[in-house]
Amino acid sequence: MMHKTCFTALLAGALGLAASSPVLASETCSARSPAHRVGLLELYTSEGCSSCPPADRWLSGLRQQPGVGEQFVPLALHVDYWDDIGWKDIYAQSRFGHRQRDLVAAAGSTVVYTPQFFLQGKSVRPDRSAGLLATELAALAQRPAVADIVLTQSRSGPRQLALKVEASLHAESGGQPASLFIALYQNGLQTQVKAGENSGATLRHDFVVRLWSGPKAIPASGKLAETVVFTLPGSAPASDFGVAAFVQRGGKEVLQALARPVCV
């Protein structure tokens, strides 16, 4: 496992190359994606996997980095294919295992494992190659965006969040079919595992996707406005949650991503 301080310096340097940032309008609680591409970093993990806790801690460390949601969007997607060995991961969803397999297949492989990271749909090993990840994030920040995303939040009930997402493709996107995905994620989760490979451990998680909407096909016009209503799960405060959206072309290529905390 790499040293966090090493990655901190590399990532901070990479993000420093990006001059632009999203336009935030606090009075309407909205955010717009920047003029450059934003990296989507996906972690496929499970509480039933003994090699996953270090990757979970690594992802949690990104909360302290500048640019979360604006320069890169980290998401933890818990899979359920470890649930049959003694511990059921309450954050796991079968759709995330399906998505992981689709990404693996799109890359021409058949090997599915946890923990597994994807950046822009490509499998990466940030624990072994922090410099490579920082370099790729820096390279993305130098590429102009080919899609725009606007997130607008409003409350529709005590624990209900109405999220309007507007996605638009640029002419440079290539005209290929693209889809919009929307997620609600949660930070500060903690589980005392009582069985399975991590029995006796207390696991902590951040950026865990709790609710998921998509894919929503973007029509030929290249524009889509979608409103979803998320009910914040459990009793955790709204400040523990965030929302994310991304546009994906074909089987894996992420054209743009954006995330921000839930308005409180």
Side-chain angles (χ1 to χ4, degrees):
M1 182 180 176
M2 66 175 204
H3 296 295
K4 186 190 294 184
T5 53
C6 173
F7 179 72
T8 298
L10 287 165
L11 185 57
L15 297 180
L17 296 176
S20 57
S21 61
V23 177
L24 299 179
S26 58
E27 66 275 8
T28 58
C29 199
S30 65
R32 180 185 296 272
S33 59
H36 63 81
R37 293 202 191 191
V38 176
L40 177 69
L41 182 64
E42 302 172 66
L43 167 61
Y44 289 86
T45 185
S46 170
E47 291 187 337
C49 156
S50 62
S51 59
C52 287
D56 295 333
R57 290 192 293 270
W58 186 92
L59 197 76
S60 291
L62 297 184
R63 288 186 68 183
Q64 310 306 317
Q65 303 302 323
V68 174
E70 306 161 5
Q71 311 294 345
F72 66 102
V73 173
L75 294 176
L77 299 100
H78 286 231
V79 297
D80 65 353
Y81 52 77
W82 283 92
D83 285 1
D84 59 356
I85 65 166
W87 180 254
K88 181 175 174 58
D89 187 336
I90 63 171
Y91 307 118
Q93 298 185 36
S94 59
R95 71 177 75 192
F96 299 152
H98 293 314
R99 175 170 172 82
Q100 183 186 14
R101 286 187 283 270
D102 288 344
L103 289 173
V104 167
S109 178
T110 59
V111 181
V112 176
Y113 60 90
T114 54
Q116 186 171 20
F117 287 89
F118 289 86
L119 176 63
Q120 301 302 88
K122 184 176 77 172
S123 182
V124 294
R125 294 296 298 267
D127 56 330
R128 295 182 180 176
S129 53
L132 175 61
L133 178 58
T135 298
E136 291 194 15
L137 284 169
L140 283 171
Q142 296 300 313
R143 297 177 63 185
V146 293
D148 297 320
I149 300 173
V150 178
L151 299 177
T152 303
Q153 302 179 48
S154 61
R155 292 295 182 92
S156 58
R159 292 190 63 81
Q160 285 192 322
L161 176 71
L163 181 64
K164 181 180 180 181
V165 184
E166 299 169 85
S168 57
L169 303 177
H170 298 189
E172 296 82 1
S173 64
Q176 299 179 34
S179 299
L180 173 68
F181 294 81
I182 308 168
L184 176 80
Y185 64 86
Q186 186 173 358
N187 294 320
L189 292 167
Q190 180 173 303
T191 302
Q192 293 183 333
V193 181
K194 302 183 184 304
E197 291 189 355
N198 292 314
S199 181
T202 298
L203 303 181
R204 295 173 176 84
H205 311 296
D206 294 289
F207 303 111
V208 176
V209 176
R210 304 300 310 277
L211 300 173
W212 180 269
S213 179
K216 309 283 187 180
I218 298 177
S221 65
K223 297 182 181 298
L224 176 66
E226 188 77 18
T227 298
V228 296
V229 177
F230 288 141
T231 300
L232 304 185
S235 58
S239 57
D240 284 355
F241 295 88
V243 291
F246 64 93
V247 174
Q248 178 177 301
R249 178 170 60 191
K252 65 173 185 175
E253 184 184 5
V254 175
L255 301 181
Q256 188 60 300
L258 179 64
R260 64 153 297 151
V262 164
C263 299
V264 294

